[in-house]
Amino acid sequence: MNVSNHTANQISVAINHKLSERGGRTFNLDVDLDLPAKGITAVFGESGSGKTTLLRCIAGLETSSHGEIRVRGVVWQRETDFIPCHQRRVGYVFQESSLFPHLNVKKNIAFGISRSPSQLDTEHYHEIIELMGLASLLQQYPDQLSGGERQRAAIARALIIEPDLLLMDEPLASLDMKRKQEILPYLESVHEKLDVPIIYVTHSIDEVARLADYLVVLEEGKVIANGGLKEVLSNIEHPLHLGEETGVVVEAEVRERDSEWNLIRATFEGGELWIRDGGDEIGHNIRIRILARDVSLALSEHTDTSIINRLRVEVEKIQYVVGQSMLLVSLKAGNSTIIARLSRRSAHHLNINEGMEVWAQIKGVAILR
Amino acid sequence: MNVSNHTANQISVAINHKLSERGGRTFNLDVDLDLPAKGITAVFGESGSGKTTLLRCIAGLETSSHGEIRVRGVVWQRETDFIPCHQRRVGYVFQESSLFPHLNVKKNIAFGISRSPSQLDTEHYHEIIELMGLASLLQQYPDQLSGGERQRAAIARALIIEPDLLLMDEPLASLDMKRKQEILPYLESVHEKLDVPIIYVTHSIDEVARLADYLVVLEEGKVIANGGLKEVLSNIEHPLHLGEETGVVVEAEVRERDSEWNLIRATFEGGELWIRDGGDEIGHNIRIRILARDVSLALSEHTDTSIINRLRVEVEKIQYVVGQSMLLVSLKAGNSTIIARLSRRSAHHLNINEGMEVWAQIKGVAILR
Amino acid sequence: MGFSEADIGAILLTLRLATTVTILLLLFGAPLAWWLARTSSRFKGPIGALIALPLVLPPTVLGFYLLLALGPNGPIGQFTQSLGLGTFAFSYSGLVIGSIFYSLPFVVQPLQNAFDAVGERPLEVAATLGAGPVDRFFSIALPLAKPGFFTAAVLGFAHTVGEFGVVLMIGGNIPGETRVVSVQIYDHVEALAYDQANQLALLMVVFSFLILLSVYGMQKKSHRQVLRFSQ
Amino acid sequence: MGFSEADIGAILLTLRLATTVTILLLLFGAPLAWWLARTSSRFKGPIGALIALPLVLPPTVLGFYLLLALGPNGPIGQFTQSLGLGTFAFSYSGLVIGSIFYSLPFVVQPLQNAFDAVGERPLEVAATLGAGPVDRFFSIALPLAKPGFFTAAVLGFAHTVGEFGVVLMIGGNIPGETRVVSVQIYDHVEALAYDQANQLALLMVVFSFLILLSVYGMQKKSHRQVLRFSQ
Amino acid sequence: AVASNFTAPAKYLAEEFEAQSEHQVRLVFGSSGRFFAQISNGAPFDLFFSADQEKPQELIENGLAIDDSLFTYALGGLVLWSRDEQLIQSSPAVLSSNQFSRLSIANARHAPYGIAAEEVLSNLNLLANLQSKLVRGENIAQTFQFVFTGNAELGFVAKSQVYQDDILISGSAWQVTEDLYSPIRQDAVLLQRASTNDAALAFLAFVRSSRGRSIIRSYGYVVGD
Ligand SMILES: Nc1ncnc2c1ncn2[C@@H]1O[C@H](COP(=O)(O)OP(=O)(O)OP(=O)(O)O)[C@@H](O)[C@H]1O
Ligand SMILES: Nc1ncnc2c1ncn2[C@@H]1O[C@H](COP(=O)(O)OP(=O)(O)OP(=O)(O)O)[C@@H](O)[C@H]1O
Ligand SMILES: [Mg+2]
Ligand SMILES: [Mg+2]
C-alpha cells in the first residue's frame, strides 16, 4: 500500500466518469476534490446532479471511471490500478433500501460482520441495534418491514462493520422525523467516537448543518462549492438556494448550566448564547445553527421580550435575495459571522448600513443542537 | 351506483385489515374515518404506523380488507361488494418510484391516459409535463433517470388522468428541496383548480401545513388525531411530536400591496400581517403558517426592530413541552389561535400568565406562503 | 453437399412444423404460465406437475400412448372421428398435436419464471392506472416477461426440431407429411447410410446453432438492464 | 402389480443415474450459468448456443455421434484410453457423461434466467460489505436464485429419467448397468408385452408426477414474494 | 413398412419395380415392433415386411392383414463380424478367447437376430461365460453400429449388413453355420386396407419373382422356394 504523508489525512477524489444514456443525453461527472479524512463531508445538490454517481465511483462500483482516488494515503484507484469494491473497506448505505431479501435483519447485519477484518465489539453491536430500534425486528425478513424499518436495518449494517470510509446516500430520506431525530445523534457520535470519515449525500440542509464538517455542492456533475461548512454557509453571496434554510453554524463551548430553567450558557467567538439544555457537560463543544430567519435586528437592546439572546454585532455586508422583498445581512459577532434575513422595508425603516452596530436578537429556542 | 346525498361530499373509510407477518408479529390497521371529499387530507404518522397500508386498502390493492369505503357516495367496498382497483378511478403515486421499466417516460404517462374514461386536455398535459420538468426526459427510460426524475414522472402520470381520488404516498420524499418547492405550488393549484380530493401521506409537517385541509394522524394502525388542519395544529395539548415544526396555519386575505418593498398586507381574524409579496392578488385568500418558534412575546411594542409584525394578543393557555426548558403558549388573536414557544426562563422573567395581554412579535420573513 | 429430394422435403417439413408448434405453444403457454405464476389455487401444484410430465416420460413411450389415444380406438381418436375429422395419427395435424403436448413444459416453465419475476408492483401500478386484469397481462406482464418469451420460443422451437420419439411413433414416417429431419437422419443411420446421415446432421447442427445464436444475440441486445421494482 | 426383477433393477438404476446426473449438472451448470448471466464477452452468444445445441438434435442421432466420439477411435475414447480408463461406451460412466451432455441446457437455462433476475444491486451491496466475487456468488447469487435451482433440478432430473435415445444408443442395454426404465419400457413395447410396458409406464408416470408435485409444492412454500431491488 | 434390416434390398427392389411399372412405392423403415403398434392403430401402410414371423401372424389374427398373402420373403444370415481384419479367423474360436471385451448382439426379446445369436452362443456353450460381455442393440442396425463404431470389438450382425454380393465388405467375419440357429424367417403380409390395391399386389408379386429373389439374395439373404 502506498502511504505518503502529505495525503494521509486526506481523501482525494479526482474522477471523470461518463454515463451515456440512450436518447442521446450523456451525463459527465467531473470532480477533483480533496476532502478531509475525518468528520462528515456532506454532498449536497439537486436531483440528478450526480451525487449517487460520485459515491458509486468512490466505492468502486463504477468500474469504468477514470481518475485517482486516495483514502488516507491508500490508493484506491489510479490509472490502471483499480482496487475492487469489496477490497476497499468501504461502508455504503444505498439510496433505496438494499437489504438482502433472503436474509432476515439479523443475518443481513451479520453478513457484513463476518466479512469484516476487524473484530466485532459486542457492545458496539448491541448499541447500534438498540439505537436503530431493531431489537424486535431482528427475525423479520425485509418484505415484512416498512420502508423506514428497512432503511434503519441497512444503516445498522453499514455502521456495524466500522469501515475506513462510510458512504451514505440519503440514508434518512425514507425515515420520519422522529426516527431521524433519534438516528442523527448516533451519526453525530459515530462522528465523534469513531475515526471513520463519512461522505454523506443529502437533500436536507438540516442534516448538512447538523452533521457536516465539510460541504461539497454538486451541480450537473460539477463541484460548484466546496469547503468547510462554516465558510460555505456564511457566504451570503453564494449561489446556494437554501431559502428558509439559510443560516450559519457556529461552534460554542458550554460554560454554565442553569438548572432551574433547564438552560445552558454557551460562548462562541461572537459572544454568548442561552440554549435549551441538551445535557451537554460544561466545557464541551457544541454546534449551534443559527438560521437567518431567526435573527432579527434592533437598534436598541430590549429586555422585555421573550427573546433571550441578544448580541452586539456589526453589519458586514448586505445582500439581496429571494424576490425583491427580502435581504440577507451578514453580521460580525467577534470573529464569527451570522446572517440575518429581514424585509427590505425593515432595513430601510431601521436604516441599516454596512459598518453599523446593531443588536441581533436571536430566539433562544431557534438554536439547533 | 349508490349515491346517497348525505355522504356525497364525504369519503368514508371504515377499514379493518390484518397483516400477519412471519415471526409472529401482526399488524392491524383499524380506522373509521369520514374525510372531506375535497381538498387535501394529509395522513401523518411514524414509519410503520400503517399509512401505506391505509392507502392500499383505499385503492383496492389489499383485497382481503374488511369494511366499507365510499367516495362521494359511491360505494367502493362494502361487505361482499368489492370494486377492484382498476375500476376505482383512483390515482396512486407510490412511495417508491414505480415507472414501468419497459416504457419511456412519455409512454408511462400515456399508459394512464389511454385507459382513462375522461378526455385528455392537451393544455393540461403540457402544463404538467412542463411543471414536472419532464419535457427533456420524455424519451428516457426509467433506468436512465435519477431517483428524483423517476418520481417526478410518476407524479405526472397519476396527476394527468384526473382521477376521482388521488392517493399520494410520500410523493416528494425522494425530491430535493428545490424540486419540492417547484412541485408544491402545482399540487396547491391541483387543489384549487381540480375538484379531485387528495389523500396525501407524508412525514413532513411542512408539506402538511402547506397543502392539507384535513389531517389524520396514525399511530400503530389507529387514528390518534383527525380533524381540520387548523384545529389539530393549534391544539397545544396535542400529543403530536412536531418539535421545531410546531405552529399554526391561518387563512388570510390580501388587502394591500406595497410595491416599493415587495410586501403585501394580509388580514386574518386576529389582525394584520406584512408578508413577502408572492404575487397574490388583492382580495385573494392565502394560507399562512406561523411557527411557534418564530413568535416571540414582548410586554410593550417595540418599533425599532426588524420584526415588522406585531399583534396584540391574549395569553390563552400555557403548556410545557420538550424537556423542561421550553413551553408553548397559545395566544388568542381575535378568533384565531397562534402558538408561541419560549423558554421557561423568559416566561418567568416576563411573568406570563393566562389571560394576560402581550405583544406577539412575528418575524415577517417567517411566514410561509 | 447434395441433399436428396427426400432430405429437402424433410427439412422444409421440420421448419414448418417447428414454427407452427412454437407459435401455438406461445399462444397457449402464455396464459397457462400466467395462471400458474399468479394463482394460489391448490390445483397449481398438480397442474404444474401434469404439464411437466412429458419431460420425464421417454418420448417413444409417450409417443406410443399418444398413438393409442389418437388412434381409432383411443379417446381422442373417437372424439375427432365423431367430429368427422378422422383420426389425427399419421398426419401433419397429429404431429402438431403430439409436439405441442411434448414441448409444452419447455415453453411454460420459462414463461412462468418470467412472469414470477415481474412481481406484484408493476401490476398494482397498472391497476391504479385503470388497467383491468387482461389489459395488465398484455400491457405489463407480457412486455416485462419478454426475455422469458425468447427463452420459451427457443426451447419450444428447438425441442420440436429435435423431437424424435413422438414424431416417429405417431407420425409414421410418411414423406412430405410426417417425415421430419430427425426421422430422416434416423432412417439414414438405420440404413447404414452414414454419409447422408452426417450431411443432414451437420446441416441441422449448423442451422440450429445459427438460430440459437441469433436469438441469443437478440436477447442480449433487447435485454436492457431491467429495472426492478422494489417492493 | 408384479414387477420383474429386471424391471426393479431398471428402476433403481434410473434413480441412481438421474440423481448422479442432476447433482453433477447443478455443480457444473451453476458456474456456467453464472458466467453466461454476467459476462459481456462476445463468446457469450456462441457458448450459450453450443450448450443449447443438444436440445435441437434428435437424441438418437446425438447418441450415435456420442457413440462415435466415445469409441476407441473417437476423440473422447482416445482420451479416456490414454488415461487408462478404457472406453466409456456401454458403461454406467458413459451413461452419466451422455446424460450430462444431453441435459445440460435444461439446467443452464433456468439457472441463467434466475441469475439474471437477481440483478446488479444485491451484488453491489454485497461487494460494499466486503464480499469478493466468489463469496458474492455463494452468499447472494445462489440463495437469491433458489427458485431457479428448483426448476433446474426438476428439469435436469426429469429429463435424465425420461431420456431415451442417447441411453439406448450408448448404453448397450446391460442389465444393472445401463438398462434404465425408459429402455426397459421400450423393450416391453417392442416385444409386444404391452401389459408390462403399461405397468412400468404407469409407475413412471405416478412416480414422476409425485416428485414433480413435491418439488412444485416446496417451491411454492419457499417462494416468499421475493423482494426486488429497485435499481 | 419395412423392417430396418431389409432397408437396402427394399430400396433396390422398389427402384427396379418403379422402373418397370407405372406404380410408385413409398418405403418406410423402422422397427417391426413399432410398425406393429402403428398398424394396430390405423397407420396408412399397405404392406408390412416384418423382421420376424410373429408380428404378421398376429396382425392376421387381429384381422388387420390378409391371411393368404403371408409369405417368407427372406431368411436372414447371421454373421459374427469385427472391423478388425485379424480378429476372426472364419471360425468361432475367437469367442472363447480373451481378445475382446464387448460382444454385440441384438436384443433377443424382440429381435429375431438376437434370438438366433443367443442360440448360437448356447449351442457353443458360451452363453453363460459371455453374459457379462454382451451388449445389446435394440435392433440389428444398432447392433451393427456398436461394432462399426468400435465400441464392441465384434458382434453378431446380419449378413446383409456386411456382405455385398457374397463378398465381405470390410473387417473379418465368420458366417455362422446354419445348424447353430433356427432360421431367421422374415415374413411379409398384405394389410387389410390394401386388399384391393393393385400397386401393392404388383409389388408383392415382383418381390416374389425370380428377379426380386435374386436381388434379395445379392444382399446376403437366403431366399427359399
Ligand atoms: N446508468 C446510467 N446510465 C446513464 N445515465 C445515468 C445512469 N444513472 C444515472 N444517470 C444520469 O446521471 C445523472 C446523475 O444521476 P445520479 O443518480 O448520480 O443523481 P443524484 O444526484 O443522485 O440524484 P437523486 O438526488 O435524484 O438521487 C442523472 O441525470 C441521471 O439521469
Ligand atoms: N406485506 C406485509 N405483511 C405483513 N406486514 C406488513 C406487510 N407490509 C407492511 N407490514 C407491516 O405493517 C406495518 C405498517 O406498514 P406500512 O408500510 O403501512 O407503514 P408506513 O406507515 O407506510 O411506514 P413508512 O413511513 O416507513 O412507509 C409495519 O409494521 C410493517 O412491518
Ligand atoms: Mg441519488
Ligand atoms: Mg409507507
Side-chain angles (χ1 to χ4, degrees):
Chain A
M1 300 222 185
N2 296 291
V3 182
S4 60
N5 256 343
H6 76 288
T7 57
N9 293 319
Q10 280 205 318
I11 295 167
S12 48
V13 179
I15 280 290
N16 192 313
H17 184 54
K18 270 200 180 52
L19 289 168
S20 57
E21 315 164 32
R22 258 152 313 156
R25 286 204 319 166
T26 61
F27 177 80
N28 193 6
L29 178 77
D30 186 6
V31 301
D32 187 350
L33 287 165
D34 282 318
L35 307 174
K38 54 179 196 168
I40 298 180
T41 298
V43 177
F44 186 79
E46 280 187 36
S47 174
S49 58
K51 304 182 298 295
T52 298
T53 309
L54 175 63
L55 287 203
R56 290 178 57 82
C57 287
I58 296 174
L61 292 172
E62 295 289 345
T63 50
S64 65
S65 66
H66 294 289
E68 192 165 325
I69 300 175
R70 281 165 197 270
V71 174
R72 294 178 159 173
V74 182
V75 174
W76 279 9
Q77 183 168 345
R78 181 176 56 188
E79 282 154 28
T80 54
D81 288 7
F82 187 92
I83 309 284
C85 174
H86 66 279
Q87 286 167 7
R88 287 196 183 189
R89 303 261 313 115
V90 78
Y92 200 131
V93 178
F94 284 80
Q95 193 166 4
E96 322 84 7
S97 153
S98 52
L99 297 182
F100 300 123
H102 64 301
L103 300 178
N104 64 18
V105 171
K106 190 171 185 177
K107 289 187 184 143
N108 259 285
I109 291 171
F111 189 96
I113 295 171
S114 62
R115 282 159 182 84
S116 160
S118 55
Q119 194 59 39
L120 175 74
D121 171 352
T122 330
E123 209 170 301
H124 175 66
Y125 176 85
H126 288 295
E127 187 186 359
I128 290 180
I129 297 297
E130 192 58 37
L131 203 110
M132 297 289 158
L134 294 174
S136 69
L137 301 176
L138 286 175
Q139 303 307 322
Q140 306 292 109
Y141 281 82
D143 57 0
Q144 302 172 308
L145 301 177
S146 75
E149 291 163 340
R150 293 208 284 263
Q151 194 66 350
R152 273 148 54 202
I155 294 175
R157 185 177 59 179
L159 283 173
I160 230 155
I161 56 170
E162 305 182 26
D164 279 355
L165 173 59
L166 184 59
L167 304 173
M168 306 184 91
D169 195 350
E170 306 192 33
L172 305 184
S174 55
L175 301 186
D176 57 298
M177 207 181 15
K178 203 176 139 204
R179 292 283 176 193
K180 264 185 200 160
Q181 295 298 338
E182 278 171 29
I183 293 174
L184 277 166
Y186 183 73
L187 293 180
E188 279 173 344
S189 69
V190 171
H191 182 190
E192 282 162 26
K193 289 188 204 153
L194 310 176
D195 185 32
V196 52
I198 300 176
I199 299 184
Y200 188 100
V201 162
T202 181
H203 279 139
S204 154
I205 192 70
D206 216 67
E207 290 168 30
V208 169
R210 178 119 183 216
L211 297 171
D213 302 301
Y214 201 85
L215 180 58
V216 173
V217 184
L218 282 186
E219 200 175 279
E220 293 178 2
K222 307 258 173 314
V223 174
I224 57 162
N226 154 32
L229 180 73
K230 274 174 263 183
E231 295 93 77
V232 177
L233 288 183
S234 63
N235 180 358
I236 59 172
E237 287 161 280
H238 204 277
L240 288 191
H241 307 294
L242 298 181
E244 296 295 314
E245 311 271 8
T246 306
V248 298
V249 169
V250 298
E251 305 279 352
E253 192 186 332
V254 180
R255 289 302 172 99
E256 183 190 338
R257 165 161 282 115
D258 179 340
S259 330
E260 188 184 354
W261 306 117
N262 264 287
L263 296 175
I264 52 171
R265 185 171 57 87
T267 57
F268 71 112
E269 297 160 312
E272 64 173 42
L273 296 166
W274 284 97
I275 311 163
R276 178 195 323 168
D277 189 352
D280 295 285
E281 281 167 45
I282 291 171
H284 268 207
N285 285 327
I286 55 175
R287 178 178 277 202
I288 298 166
R289 183 171 173 211
I290 304 173
L291 290 180
R293 54 181 285 200
D294 287 327
V295 181
S296 54
L297 301 182
L299 300 182
S300 56
E301 186 174 11
H302 299 292
T303 53
D304 71 340
T305 77
S306 63
I307 302 175
I308 50 177
N309 290 309
R310 294 179 290 274
L311 300 173
R312 188 84 185 141
V313 296
E314 186 193 320
V315 176
E316 200 176 27
K317 185 174 253 154
I318 300 172
Q319 176 84 19
Y320 288 83
V321 278
V322 263
Q324 297 295 309
S325 68
M326 297 291 149
L327 44 76
L328 292 180
V329 179
S330 76
L331 305 161
K332 204 142 191 79
N335 283 324
S336 294
T337 300
I338 59 178
I339 307 178
R341 185 170 70 167
L342 35 147
S343 68
R344 263 174 54 225
R345 192 170 76 163
S346 297
H348 176 81
H349 173 70
L350 301 179
N351 197 19
I352 304 284
N353 287 309
E354 290 179 14
M356 186 177 171
E357 297 236 317
V358 293
W359 287 93
Q361 299 177 318
I362 303 165
K363 280 205 67 173
V365 291
I367 296 170
L368 291 171
R369 255 203 82 235
Chain B
M1 301 224 184
N2 296 292
V3 181
S4 59
N5 255 345
H6 76 286
T7 57
N9 292 319
Q10 281 205 316
I11 295 167
S12 48
V13 179
I15 281 289
N16 193 312
H17 185 52
K18 271 200 178 52
L19 289 169
S20 57
E21 314 165 32
R22 258 150 315 159
R25 286 206 317 166
T26 62
F27 177 80
N28 192 6
L29 178 76
D30 186 4
V31 300
D32 187 349
L33 286 166
D34 283 316
L35 307 174
K38 53 178 198 167
I40 298 181
T41 298
V43 178
F44 186 79
E46 282 187 33
S47 175
S49 57
K51 305 182 295 298
T52 298
T53 309
L54 175 63
L55 288 203
R56 290 177 57 83
C57 287
I58 296 174
L61 292 172
E62 295 289 345
T63 50
S64 65
S65 65
H66 295 288
E68 191 166 325
I69 299 175
R70 279 166 201 269
V71 174
R72 294 178 160 170
V74 182
V75 174
W76 280 10
Q77 184 168 343
R78 180 174 58 187
E79 284 155 29
T80 53
D81 289 7
F82 187 91
I83 307 284
C85 174
H86 66 279
Q87 287 166 6
R88 288 196 184 189
R89 302 263 311 118
V90 79
Y92 200 131
V93 178
F94 285 79
Q95 193 165 6
E96 322 85 6
S97 152
S98 52
L99 296 182
F100 300 122
H102 64 300
L103 300 178
N104 65 17
V105 171
K106 189 171 186 177
K107 288 188 184 142
N108 260 284
I109 291 172
F111 189 96
I113 296 172
S114 62
R115 283 158 182 85
S116 160
S118 54
Q119 196 57 37
L120 175 73
D121 170 354
T122 329
E123 209 170 302
H124 175 67
Y125 176 85
H126 287 296
E127 185 185 0
I128 291 180
I129 297 299
E130 192 57 37
L131 203 111
M132 297 290 157
L134 294 174
S136 70
L137 300 176
L138 286 176
Q139 303 307 323
Q140 304 292 110
Y141 281 82
D143 58 358
Q144 301 172 308
L145 301 176
S146 75
E149 291 164 338
R150 292 208 284 264
Q151 195 66 351
R152 274 149 53 202
I155 295 174
R157 184 176 60 179
L159 283 174
I160 231 157
I161 55 170
E162 306 183 25
D164 278 354
L165 173 59
L166 185 60
L167 304 174
M168 305 185 92
D169 196 351
E170 306 192 34
L172 305 184
S174 55
L175 301 186
D176 57 297
M177 206 180 16
K178 201 176 141 205
R179 290 284 176 193
K180 264 185 201 159
Q181 295 298 339
E182 279 172 29
I183 293 175
L184 278 166
Y186 183 72
L187 294 180
E188 280 173 343
S189 68
V190 170
H191 184 189
E192 282 162 28
K193 289 188 207 151
L194 310 177
D195 184 33
V196 52
I198 300 176
I199 299 184
Y200 188 100
V201 163
T202 181
H203 279 142
S204 154
I205 192 69
D206 217 66
E207 289 169 30
V208 169
R210 177 116 185 219
L211 296 171
D213 303 300
Y214 201 85
L215 180 58
V216 173
V217 184
L218 282 185
E219 200 174 279
E220 293 178 2
K222 307 259 174 313
V223 175
I224 57 162
N226 154 32
L229 180 72
K230 272 175 263 181
E231 295 93 77
V232 178
L233 288 182
S234 63
N235 181 356
I236 60 174
E237 288 161 278
H238 204 276
L240 290 190
H241 307 292
L242 298 181
E244 296 295 315
E245 310 271 8
T246 306
V248 297
V249 168
V250 297
E251 305 281 352
E253 191 186 333
V254 180
R255 288 305 171 98
E256 183 190 337
R257 165 161 282 114
D258 180 341
S259 329
E260 187 183 354
W261 306 115
N262 263 287
L263 295 175
I264 51 170
R265 183 171 60 85
T267 57
F268 72 112
E269 296 160 313
E272 63 173 43
L273 296 166
W274 283 98
I275 312 163
R276 177 197 323 168
D277 188 352
D280 297 283
E281 281 167 46
I282 291 171
H284 268 206
N285 286 326
I286 55 173
R287 179 179 276 201
I288 298 166
R289 182 170 174 213
I290 304 174
L291 290 180
R293 55 181 284 200
D294 287 329
V295 180
S296 54
L297 301 182
L299 300 183
S300 57
E301 187 174 11
H302 298 293
T303 53
D304 71 339
T305 78
S306 63
I307 302 177
I308 49 176
N309 290 309
R310 293 178 291 274
L311 299 174
R312 188 84 185 141
V313 295
E314 186 192 319
V315 176
E316 199 177 28
K317 186 173 252 158
I318 300 173
Q319 176 84 17
Y320 289 84
V321 280
V322 264
Q324 296 295 309
S325 68
M326 296 293 150
L327 45 76
L328 291 181
V329 179
S330 75
L331 305 162
K332 206 144 190 75
N335 283 323
S336 296
T337 300
I338 60 176
I339 307 178
R341 186 169 71 168
L342 34 147
S343 68
R344 264 175 55 224
R345 192 170 76 163
S346 297
H348 176 81
H349 174 68
L350 300 179
N351 196 22
I352 303 285
N353 286 309
E354 290 178 14
M356 185 177 171
E357 298 237 316
V358 294
W359 287 93
Q361 300 178 318
I362 303 165
K363 282 204 65 171
V365 290
I367 297 170
L368 291 171
R369 256 204 83 234
Chain C
M1 277 195 294
F3 287 118
S4 68
E5 215 173 296
D7 286 350
I8 290 166
I11 292 169
L12 293 179
L13 182 68
T14 305
L15 292 181
R16 191 172 134 222
L17 178 70
T19 309
T20 312
V21 168
T22 305
I23 292 170
L24 289 174
L25 274 174
L26 291 178
L27 288 182
F28 296 143
L32 198 57
W34 176 243
W35 181 80
L36 284 170
R38 301 192 49 81
T39 188
S40 50
S41 152
R42 66 214 157 84
F43 294 114
K44 177 181 177 158
I47 288 183
L50 209 63
I51 288 170
L53 210 50
L55 285 180
V56 292
L57 293 179
T60 332
V61 173
L62 189 70
F64 177 66
Y65 290 102
L66 260 178
L67 185 62
L68 289 183
L70 289 175
N73 309 314
I76 303 177
Q78 299 259 336
F79 177 70
T80 54
Q81 280 176 317
S82 76
L83 292 180
L85 298 171
T87 59
F88 278 174
F90 315 114
S91 70
Y92 181 71
S93 315
L95 228 55
V96 170
I97 292 175
S99 302
I100 285 178
F101 190 61
Y102 184 53
S103 297
L104 190 61
F106 293 89
V107 169
V108 170
Q109 275 277 4
L111 289 182
Q112 190 183 340
N113 280 350
F115 285 137
D116 266 342
V118 168
E120 202 56 44
R121 180 51 57 89
L123 301 167
E124 291 187 350
V125 173
T128 67
L129 291 168
V134 175
D135 188 356
R136 294 201 286 272
F137 173 74
F138 284 105
S139 60
I140 304 299
L142 280 195
L144 287 182
K146 215 154 115 195
F149 273 83
F150 278 110
T151 309
V154 177
L155 286 177
F157 190 91
H159 216 252
T160 307
V161 169
E163 180 198 47
F164 167 74
V166 172
V167 165
L168 194 63
M169 207 46 144
I170 66 171
N173 202 344
I174 300 165
E177 187 155 11
T178 63
R179 185 185 287 168
V180 295
V181 172
S182 57
V183 172
Q184 180 78 358
I185 297 177
Y186 178 73
D187 263 13
H188 286 319
V189 171
E190 289 288 290
L192 315 189
Y194 293 147
D195 273 358
Q196 281 168 279
N198 286 343
Q199 265 185 30
L200 206 52
L202 185 69
L203 176 85
M204 200 157 172
V205 169
V206 170
F207 168 77
S208 310
F209 185 76
L210 288 181
I211 54 156
L212 289 175
L213 194 61
S214 76
V215 175
Y216 275 82
M218 254 162 78
Q219 195 169 12
K220 200 168 140 199
K221 247 178 273 156
S222 86
H223 181 83
R224 72 167 40 96
Q225 243 183 318
V226 178
L227 185 81
R228 280 189 183 79
F229 288 79
S230 70
Q231 180 159 13
Chain D
M1 279 195 293
F3 287 116
S4 68
E5 215 174 295
D7 287 350
I8 290 167
I11 292 168
L12 294 179
L13 181 69
T14 305
L15 292 180
R16 192 172 133 222
L17 177 70
T19 309
T20 312
V21 168
T22 306
I23 292 169
L24 289 174
L25 274 175
L26 290 178
L27 288 181
F28 296 143
L32 199 56
W34 177 243
W35 181 81
L36 283 170
R38 300 191 52 77
T39 187
S40 49
S41 152
R42 66 212 156 86
F43 294 114
K44 177 181 178 160
I47 288 183
L50 209 63
I51 289 170
L53 210 49
L55 285 179
V56 292
L57 292 179
T60 333
V61 173
L62 190 70
F64 177 66
Y65 289 104
L66 258 178
L67 194 61
L68 282 179
L70 288 175
N73 307 315
I76 304 178
Q78 299 257 335
F79 177 71
T80 54
Q81 279 176 319
S82 75
L83 293 179
L85 297 171
T87 58
F88 276 179
F90 315 124
S91 71
Y92 181 72
S93 315
L95 230 54
V96 170
I97 293 176
S99 302
I100 285 179
F101 189 59
Y102 184 53
S103 298
L104 190 61
F106 293 89
V107 169
V108 169
Q109 275 278 4
L111 288 182
Q112 188 183 340
N113 279 350
F115 285 136
D116 266 342
V118 168
E120 202 57 46
R121 179 52 57 89
L123 301 166
E124 291 187 351
V125 174
T128 66
L129 291 168
V134 175
D135 188 357
R136 293 202 287 272
F137 174 72
F138 284 105
S139 60
I140 304 300
L142 279 196
L144 287 183
K146 216 155 114 194
F149 272 83
F150 278 110
T151 308
V154 176
L155 287 177
F157 190 91
H159 216 250
T160 308
V161 169
E163 178 199 48
F164 167 73
V166 172
V167 166
L168 192 65
M169 221 32 151
I170 68 173
N173 203 341
I174 301 167
E177 189 155 6
T178 62
R179 184 188 289 167
V180 294
V181 173
S182 56
V183 172
Q184 183 75 358
I185 297 178
Y186 180 76
D187 270 6
H188 286 319
V189 171
E190 287 288 296
L192 314 191
Y194 292 153
D195 272 359
Q196 281 169 279
N198 287 341
Q199 265 185 32
L200 206 52
L202 185 69
L203 176 85
M204 201 159 172
V205 170
V206 171
F207 168 78
S208 309
F209 184 76
L210 289 181
I211 55 157
L212 289 176
L213 195 61
S214 77
V215 175
Y216 275 83
M218 255 161 78
Q219 195 170 11
K220 199 168 140 200
K221 247 178 271 156
S222 86
H223 180 84
R224 73 169 37 96
Q225 242 183 318
V226 178
L227 186 80
R228 282 191 181 77
F229 288 78
S230 70
Q231 180 158 14
Chain E
V2 180
S4 36
N5 75 68
F6 198 64
T7 303
K11 277 184 173 167
Y12 194 58
L13 284 168
E15 238 171 71
E16 288 252 323
F17 173 68
E18 283 175 358
Q20 60 169 242
S21 77
E22 68 269 38
H23 297 302
Q24 290 266 328
V25 185
R26 285 203 300 186
L27 296 173
V28 175
F29 307 100
S31 99
S32 308
R34 190 177 77 238
F35 285 139
F36 177 83
Q38 290 177 329
I39 291 163
S40 305
N41 284 284
F45 298 134
D46 298 321
L47 292 169
F48 178 35
F49 286 74
S50 180
D52 63 1
Q53 293 188 297
E54 288 123 46
K55 290 177 185 100
Q57 191 58 48
E58 183 116 17
L59 286 176
I60 289 167
E61 279 163 23
N62 293 344
L64 291 165
I66 294 160
D67 192 2
D68 56 12
S69 68
L70 183 74
F71 75 108
T72 301
Y73 63 91
L75 282 154
L78 192 64
V79 170
L80 180 66
W81 178 68
S82 169
R83 280 186 77 158
D84 185 339
E85 297 188 354
Q86 311 301 324
L87 194 59
I88 305 170
Q89 261 76 35
S90 295
S91 79
V94 64
L95 288 174
S96 35
S97 75
N98 261 335
Q99 288 173 287
F100 67 97
S101 57
R102 296 290 188 196
L103 171 64
S104 171
I105 66 171
N107 193 330
R109 275 200 69 203
H110 48 77
Y113 285 92
I115 298 168
E118 289 204 356
E119 276 175 20
V120 172
L121 291 176
S122 63
N123 284 337
L124 294 172
N125 279 327
L126 289 168
L127 188 56
N129 289 346
L130 290 178
Q131 200 57 259
S132 64
K133 292 187 172 183
L134 293 183
V135 294
R136 292 180 170 83
E138 275 322 299
N139 52 43
I140 199 64
Q142 203 188 351
T143 309
F144 172 77
Q145 280 159 22
F146 288 166
V147 187
F148 178 79
T149 58
N151 285 292
E153 289 88 341
L154 68 175
F156 285 101
V157 302
K159 187 181 174 194
S160 60
Q161 291 171 316
V162 291
Y163 281 83
Q164 177 84 53
D165 294 329
D166 242 356
I167 296 162
L168 185 63
I169 302 165
S170 71
S172 55
W174 167 55
Q175 293 202 41
V176 182
T177 44
E178 284 171 26
D179 54 346
L180 287 174
Y181 63 100
S182 30
I184 305 165
R185 289 182 182 278
Q186 307 195 169
D187 282 4
V189 72
L190 181 68
L191 298 175
Q192 193 62 50
R193 70 188 290 277
S195 52
T196 57
N197 184 325
D198 289 345
L201 291 169
F203 185 63
L204 270 191
F206 176 69
V207 173
R208 302 179 87 148
S209 71
S210 62
R211 177 62 191 142
R213 291 199 309 227
S214 72
I215 290 172
I216 294 171
R217 211 172 279 123
S218 72
Y219 279 91
Y221 292 94
V222 175
V223 184
D225 43 281

